[in-house]
């Protein structure tokens, strides 16, 4: 019998989807989340309620920065594989609340590293990084490659994520357990995060309120549907690097979409037109993201399947059902 898999951030958008996929393939999963109020805790509770009756899932409400609690959980549950997704998200929020990022992202990552390195027979740590580590890049050009230097973060959030990558690199060298860092590119879909642009735009469009379009709309994002992201996470988990190796892989759609095109696609999915108020670029924002996913594809066969129109259509249907609008 295989040991359970620990998923941190199990009440979060990506964590919730990953847990369901693992359960579907017969894994036993231990979930951890602090369930904070960065956004509506009721949405997090609703995600967790979808696991009701699943005997192969056990949930622990814990702060990942509590190193002792995380170490005990890993030891007592016999964890040898971890998907570490818990973090304080949000680029703009990191400007107003920097110490939340120090604790959740950096101290939390260190807690997980320490727990893994002390666990006998530990197999693989897969953890969430971010495309924000690449800094600000112009629209167009080539996809962002993992081999490029990531030394100019434009937000504290990005700086904490790059710091986590460096901590993992040092732990792989010191203690030898395999690690994979995944740089996520703008994940969207049902059960998503309300602070993300497509979700907050939907809230305002459905309420008949104008939306603020930052960067005067001259931005682009590599929007990646949640099911495709889960494919990549599970694929990476199942292909650990050699002992002592730490690798970083992009995980995105590799087809960046201009912000104004995303808004038009969302309007079509909702059947409503948005009143748009153009605003300048916000501190911490980047102009464009564009994933080169060739390494993940070569390793796992990863190939995103859901295009933006289909994905936003699924999100709009979920939104109407969840909020009964």
């Amino acid at each position: 019998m295989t040991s359970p898999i620990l998923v941190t951030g199990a009440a979060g958008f990506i964590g919730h989807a990953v847990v369901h996929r693992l359960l579907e393939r017969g894994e036993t999963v231990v979930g951890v989340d602090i369930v904070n109020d960065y956004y509506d805790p009721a949405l997090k509770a609703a995600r967790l309620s979808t696991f009701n009756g699943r005997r192969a899932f056990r949930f622990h409400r814990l702060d990942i920065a509590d190193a002792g609690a995380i170490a005990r959980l890993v030891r007592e549950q016999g964890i040898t594989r971890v998907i570490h997704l818990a973090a304080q998200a949000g680029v703009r929020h990191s400007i107003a609340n920097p110490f939340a990022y120090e604790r959740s992202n950096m101290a939390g990552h260190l807690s997980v590293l320490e727990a893994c390195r002390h666990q006998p027979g530990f197999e693989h740590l897969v953890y969430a990084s971010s495309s924000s580590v690449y800094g600000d890049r112009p629209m167009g050009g080539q996809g962002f490659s993992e081999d490029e230097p990531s030394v100019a973060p434009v937000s504290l959030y990005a700086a904490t994520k790059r710091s986590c990558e460096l901590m993992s690199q040092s732990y792989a060298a010191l203690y030898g357990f395999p690690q994979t860092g995944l740089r996520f590119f703008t994940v969207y879909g049902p059960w998503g995060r309300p602070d993300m642009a497509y979700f907050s735009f939907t809230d305002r469009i459905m309420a008949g309120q104008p939306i603020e379009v930052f960067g005067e709309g001259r931005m682009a994002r590599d929007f990646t549907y949640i099911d495709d992201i889960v494919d990549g996470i599970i694929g990476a988990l199942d292909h650990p690097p050699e002992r002592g190796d730490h690798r970083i892989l992009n995980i995105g759609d590799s087809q960046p979409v201009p912000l104004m095109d995303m808004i038009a696609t969302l309007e079509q999915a909702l059947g409503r037109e948005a009143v748009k108020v153009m605003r300048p670029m916000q501190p911490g924002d980047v102009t464009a993201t564009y994933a080169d996913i060739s390494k993940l594809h070569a390793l796992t066969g990863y190939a995103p399947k859901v295009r933006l129109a289909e994905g936003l259509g699924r999100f709009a249907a979920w939104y109407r059902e969840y909020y009964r609008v």
Side-chain angles (χ1 to χ4, degrees), residues 1-20:
M1 181 177 177
T2 58
S3 61
I5 298 171
L6 174 63
V7 178
T8 72
F13 172 34
I14 301 175
H16 163 259
V18 166
V19 171
H20 271 293

Side-chain angles (χ1 to χ4, degrees), residues 4-304:
I5 298 171
L6 174 63
V7 178
T8 72
F13 172 34
I14 301 175
H16 163 259
V18 166
V19 171
H20 271 293
R21 184 74 64 83
L22 291 171
L23 293 174
E24 286 166 7
R25 74 173 198 173
E27 302 279 4
T28 300
V29 181
V30 176
V32 166
D33 203 295
I34 196 172
V35 194
N36 65 18
D37 62 356
Y38 167 61
Y39 60 81
D40 186 7
L43 177 57
K44 300 177 183 182
R47 292 188 189 120
L48 288 173
S49 73
T50 65
F51 303 125
N52 290 347
R54 303 298 296 265
R55 294 183 179 180
F57 177 72
R58 300 187 293 274
F59 179 71
H60 299 262
R61 185 166 182 169
L62 289 176
D63 180 355
I64 56 165
D66 185 341
I70 295 298
R72 282 192 299 274
L73 182 67
V74 168
R75 183 175 62 252
E76 292 170 0
Q77 298 290 331
I79 301 292
T80 58
R81 291 173 292 167
V82 174
I83 300 176
H84 173 40
L85 303 171
Q88 178 58 59
V91 167
R92 293 172 191 163
H93 188 66
S94 71
I95 295 171
N97 297 275
F99 288 101
Y101 291 75
E102 175 211 24
R103 178 170 179 82
S104 183
N105 297 7
M106 298 177 69
H109 192 70
L110 185 57
S111 293
V112 171
L113 288 172
E114 276 290 292
C116 294
R117 73 107 162 175
H118 284 292
Q119 181 69 348
F122 190 81
E123 298 174 19
H124 194 191
L125 167 62
V126 176
Y127 68 90
S129 187
S130 168
S131 63
S132 66
V133 303
Y134 289 110
D136 196 14
R137 307 280 286 275
M139 292 174 67
Q142 301 298 310
F144 302 178
S145 167
E146 300 94 334
D147 298 324
E148 298 171 25
S150 301
V151 294
V154 296
S155 69
L156 179 67
Y157 170 71
T160 63
K161 285 298 189 180
R162 182 63 181 137
S163 297
C164 291
E165 293 180 351
L166 294 173
M167 283 192 280
S168 278
Q169 181 65 41
S170 70
Y171 265 65
L174 286 167
Y175 306 114
F177 63 90
Q179 298 181 59
T180 301
L182 297 174
R183 291 176 174 171
F184 291 106
F185 283 71
T186 315
V187 189
Y188 76 100
W191 294 103
R193 273 179 28 216
D195 62 318
M196 298 291 285
Y198 73 95
F199 202 129
S200 62
F201 286 170
T202 299
D203 284 338
R204 298 190 69 82
I205 291 169
M206 296 302 286
Q209 299 171 345
I211 64 172
E212 293 184 307
V213 182
F214 292 104
E216 307 288 345
R218 294 187 291 271
M219 302 167 72
R221 290 292 182 269
D222 198 338
F223 293 99
T224 316
Y225 190 68
I226 182 63
D227 291 1
D228 291 327
I229 284 286
V230 174
D231 286 345
I233 295 170
I234 302 298
L237 179 71
D238 291 344
H239 293 81
E242 295 297 320
R243 182 160 182 80
D245 285 352
H246 167 248
R247 67 186 173 204
I248 292 174
L249 299 169
N250 288 333
I251 179 169
D253 190 77
S254 199
Q255 295 194 38
V257 176
L259 178 58
M260 298 306 295
D261 290 357
M262 183 276 281
I263 293 171
T265 304
L266 182 62
E267 290 172 324
Q268 187 172 14
L270 297 173
R272 301 188 185 188
E273 186 173 352
V275 177
K276 305 168 192 70
V277 179
M278 297 301 179
R279 301 290 190 202
M281 186 85 82
Q282 294 292 286
D285 271 355
V286 298
T287 306
T289 61
Y290 181 0
D292 177 342
I293 57 173
S294 56
K295 287 188 176 182
L296 184 59
H297 173 76
L299 179 70
T300 69
Y302 173 75

